[in-house]
Amino acid sequence: MLTLYGTDLSSRLLLGTARYPSPAILAEAVRRSKTEIVTVSLRRETAGGKAGGAFFDIIRELGVRVLPNTAGCHSVKEAVLTAKMAREVFRTNWVKLELIGHQDTLQPDVFQLVEAARILTDDGFEVFPYTTEDLVVGEHLLSAGCKVLMPWCAPIGSAMGPQNIPGLRAMRAEFSDIPLIVDAGIGRPSHAATVMELGFDAVLLNTAVAAAADPAAMAEAFANAIDAGLGGYLAGLLEPRDMAVPSTPIIGRGVFA
């Protein structure tokens, strides 16, 4: 069971809702993923005018919890305003806080991120910050009131998978009691299994499912991979070794004359 801000969840897959070929395909992907949380960008959808209102109706009909995000924001003022608008639209204090600092990599601006997180938590929000694997930034976000951290494993939409496994492993060890959700850069089910094998609590992804030839089938594949990775971590994974180790004991083996 995964607990986020006092809410118990069975699924450890959080699914984005952008870039799907059609609302029907999005709905089927959500169903087959068994996710209980979907993320929605208020800025992106409201830019669509009347279509944005129809999109929000579809999201409500999915029967899952909505995690609004501040995608596209580049300043504290933008992010805080967007979060407050999302709270009004979706009637939730949850917000995925994105504050982009680098246009090419979409790396978060961690300085503004901490400031915005503090403002929002003081205003009653329960913040899910999109951050890097930097331990110092993580400490500052926790001090600002965050109770969840969402480190990237690669740039958003890059599909490169984990680029800094030692850094992610260090983050897991440093924040052993904090829910950690890997967000951004996951491209394949094997990537999701890898980060779950490191002991992370969940995975948030969008492009890898939405842009697949069969999004619904890919959503199900990711759900299975996350379960497999978590199962391996809990069972106790065999660590790599520098030398071969025989699986069959030598002592007591039969000798044939």
Side-chain angles (χ1 to χ4, degrees):
M1 188 69 69
L2 173 64
T3 302
L4 302 174
Y5 286 107
T7 297
D8 293 332
L9 303 160
S10 298
S11 173
R12 292 172 182 266
L13 172 59
L14 289 70
L15 201 60
T17 56
R19 299 183 60 182
Y20 285 83
S22 72
I25 291 175
L26 166 61
E28 181 64 9
V30 169
R31 186 187 69 80
R32 289 180 64 175
S33 73
K34 299 181 180 179
T35 185
E36 296 167 80
I37 299 174
V38 297
T39 63
V40 178
S41 169
L42 185 70
R43 287 170 60 92
R44 181 185 296 119
E45 301 307 332
T46 52
K50 293 182 179 179
F55 175 82
F56 293 145
D57 290 338
I58 293 167
I59 293 299
R60 293 187 185 98
E61 292 171 1
L62 292 175
V64 293
R65 183 152 189 156
V66 173
L67 175 60
N69 71 47
T70 61
C73 292
H74 292 79
S75 71
V76 172
K77 183 178 180 180
E78 272 187 299
V80 170
L81 177 60
T82 301
K84 290 181 177 180
M85 291 172 60
R87 180 163 61 182
E88 293 298 316
V89 172
F90 294 107
R91 299 291 189 267
T92 178
N93 287 327
W94 280 18
V95 64
K96 177 190 168 185
L97 181 59
E98 286 187 35
L99 257 165
I100 301 304
H102 192 273
Q103 196 56 45
D104 291 335
T105 64
L106 302 182
Q107 180 172 333
D109 182 331
V110 295
F111 303 100
Q112 293 197 90
L113 182 68
V114 172
E115 182 182 350
R118 183 171 289 107
I119 292 170
L120 291 172
T121 53
D122 287 346
D123 194 30
F125 283 89
E126 295 173 324
V127 178
F128 295 67
Y130 165 57
T131 184
T132 67
E133 69 275 31
D134 189 291
L135 301 182
V136 177
V137 174
E139 290 285 3
H140 282 291
L141 287 168
L142 296 178
S143 296
C146 299
K147 296 181 180 178
V148 176
L149 297 176
M150 302 180 72
W152 69 345
C153 73
I156 293 173
S158 67
M160 292 192 295
Q163 297 297 290
N164 183 8
I165 287 180
L168 292 173
R169 184 177 283 120
M171 194 172 199
R172 177 71 284 176
E174 179 70 18
F175 305 117
S176 58
D177 298 327
I178 302 298
L180 299 180
I181 303 172
V182 169
D183 176 19
I186 296 287
R188 302 181 179 188
S190 58
H191 296 159
T194 295
V195 297
M196 294 302 291
E197 287 175 354
L198 295 175
F200 281 77
D201 297 286
V203 170
L204 192 160
L205 53 89
N206 187 162
T207 307
V209 169
D214 187 339
M218 186 62 76
E220 184 174 350
F222 269 105
N224 292 336
I226 287 169
D227 287 343
L230 176 64
Y233 173 74
L234 294 177
L237 295 163
L238 185 65
E239 292 300 319
R241 299 165 175 171
D242 293 331
M243 299 178 63
V245 178
S247 57
T248 302
I250 296 177
I251 298 176
R253 68 180 179 178
V255 177
F256 298 93

